[in-house]
Amino acid sequence: MQVLTVNIHKGFDIFNNRSVLHELRAAVRVVGSDVVFLQEVQGASGPSGAQYEFLADEIWPEHAYGRNAVAEGQDHGNAVLSRYPVLRSENHDLSVPGAEPRGLLHCVLAVPGVGTDLHVMCTHLGLREAHRRRQLARLSDTVSRHVPDDAPLVVAGDFNDWRGRADEQLATSGLREVFRESHGHHARSFPSRWPMLRLDRIYVRGVKFALPVPMARRPWDRLSDHAPLAADILLREGTP
C-alpha cells in the first residue's frame, strides 16, 4: 500500500492568494495513494464545503475528519482518505491551553489480506517546542492505550519538529520515521518552493518495511506551503 501526507493550507496557494482546491485534487489523484493524510483541511462550514469530501470524490470512498479549531464560523482540522473501509475513527484532543487547538485523528482500517486491522493517525502539532513535547507524550499515550501491540500502525502529518526531537519521544512507542530510516535524515518539506525545514513525517510500527516515494516538485510547490511526503508500505501478511 502507499500513503501520502500533505498540509493543504486550507486549499490556498503558498501566498494565500487564491484557492487551488481543484488543482490539489488533481495532484492527489495523480499520486493515487491508498491512504491520504491531510492537515489544515476545512470542514463542512467552510465556503467550499467539506474539503476532504471534495478531495476524496469517487477515488477514496472512505474518509474521516477530526475538527480541531473554529475561527470566524469556519472549522478546520485533520482528515484521512482511504480506499479501505474505515471501521471506526476518533479525534483525540492534543490542545495546550492558550495555544491554537490541535488534534490527533485515529482511524482503524480493514485492509484485505492482512490478518489484523491497520491503525492510522493523522496529526498537526504546535509551533512551540514545549507544546510539542506535551503533544507527543499524549500521542504516545494514545498509541499505548488504543493500538494493540501486534497491529500495524502509521502516524503521519505536520509535526512542526524543526529541531528534530520527535523521534526520541516516539521511539518509546516503537515508532520509526520512514525517511530518516532510509536516508539518515528527515525529508525537507517547508516551504514547498525552497524546502529547508524538515517538518512533515511518516512514522510506522509493526510493518514489514516502508520506503520513501520520490515526489515531483511541480505542481506541489504551487499548491501549498508544505511539500507532500509519500511512502510505500508492506504490511504483515495475513492468514489465507
Side-chain angles (χ1 to χ4, degrees), residues 145-163:
R145 290 187 293 110
H146 295 278
V147 182
D149 292 340
D150 61 345
L153 169 65
V154 181
V155 183
D158 178 0
F159 281 73
N160 274 316
D161 181 36
W162 60 278
R163 291 181 179 271

Side-chain angles (χ1 to χ4, degrees), residues 64 85-90 106-109 117 119 146 148:
V86 177
L87 301 178
R88 58 187 183 275
S89 66
E90 182 177 2
H106 175 204
C107 300
V108 182
L109 311 180
D117 297 332
H119 291 249
H146 295 278

Side-chain angles (χ1 to χ4, degrees), residues 1-224:
M1 60 173 285
Q2 185 185 97
V3 302
L4 171 76
T5 181
V6 59
N7 181 325
I8 70 167
H9 201 224
K10 300 177 185 176
F12 285 89
D13 67 359
I14 187 172
F15 301 110
N16 212 33
N17 289 329
R18 66 184 183 92
S19 172
V20 293
L21 201 58
H22 286 80
E23 297 142 275
L24 185 64
R25 181 171 69 173
V28 173
R29 281 184 167 192
V30 167
V31 179
S33 299
D34 299 293
V35 182
V36 181
F37 299 75
L38 302 173
Q39 305 89 52
E40 286 194 30
V41 57
Q42 288 184 339
S45 64
S48 55
Q51 291 179 338
Y52 59 93
E53 291 184 345
F54 176 79
L55 294 171
D57 197 27
E58 298 176 354
I59 308 299
W60 293 273
E62 301 276 336
H63 44 71
Y65 171 67
R67 184 178 68 178
N68 295 335
V70 179
E72 299 180 350
Q74 298 178 13
D75 64 288
H76 68 271
N78 302 313
V80 169
L81 315 181
S82 174
R83 294 187 190 273
Y84 312 119
V86 177
L87 301 178
R88 58 187 183 275
S89 66
E90 182 177 2
N91 196 41
H92 300 270
D93 187 11
L94 300 183
S95 302
V96 175
E100 183 179 357
R102 304 286 179 172
L104 175 71
L105 177 61
H106 175 204
C107 300
V108 182
L109 311 180
V111 182
V114 178
T116 184
D117 297 332
L118 169 65
H119 291 249
V120 300
M121 295 181 174
C122 181
T123 194
H124 184 186
L125 302 187
L127 298 174
R128 296 180 60 180
E129 185 174 352
H131 295 172
R132 291 194 299 274
R133 285 200 299 267
R134 294 170 63 178
Q135 290 161 351
L136 287 165
R138 293 180 191 173
L139 192 161
S140 295
D141 181 64
T142 302
V143 169
S144 175
R145 290 187 293 110
H146 295 278
V147 182
D149 292 340
D150 61 345
L153 169 65
V154 181
V155 183
D158 178 0
F159 281 73
N160 274 316
D161 181 36
W162 60 278
R163 291 181 179 271
R165 296 178 177 174
D167 288 10
E168 184 177 355
Q169 274 191 264
L170 295 180
T172 60
S173 298
L175 288 160
R176 62 186 193 276
E177 209 280 321
V178 173
F179 285 79
R180 187 173 182 184
E181 281 235 322
S182 296
H183 302 322
H185 52 75
H186 299 121
R188 297 182 188 273
S189 60
F190 183 88
S192 58
R193 290 205 170 182
W194 306 278
M196 297 179 62
L197 300 181
R198 309 177 192 274
L199 303 185
D200 299 84
R201 308 285 166 79
I202 300 175
Y203 290 91
V204 296
R205 188 185 81 177
V207 304
K208 282 200 166 184
F209 68 78
L211 296 174
V213 173
M215 297 289 292
R217 183 177 177 184
R218 295 285 177 92
W220 296 99
D221 59 346
R222 301 192 300 268
L223 300 182
S224 176

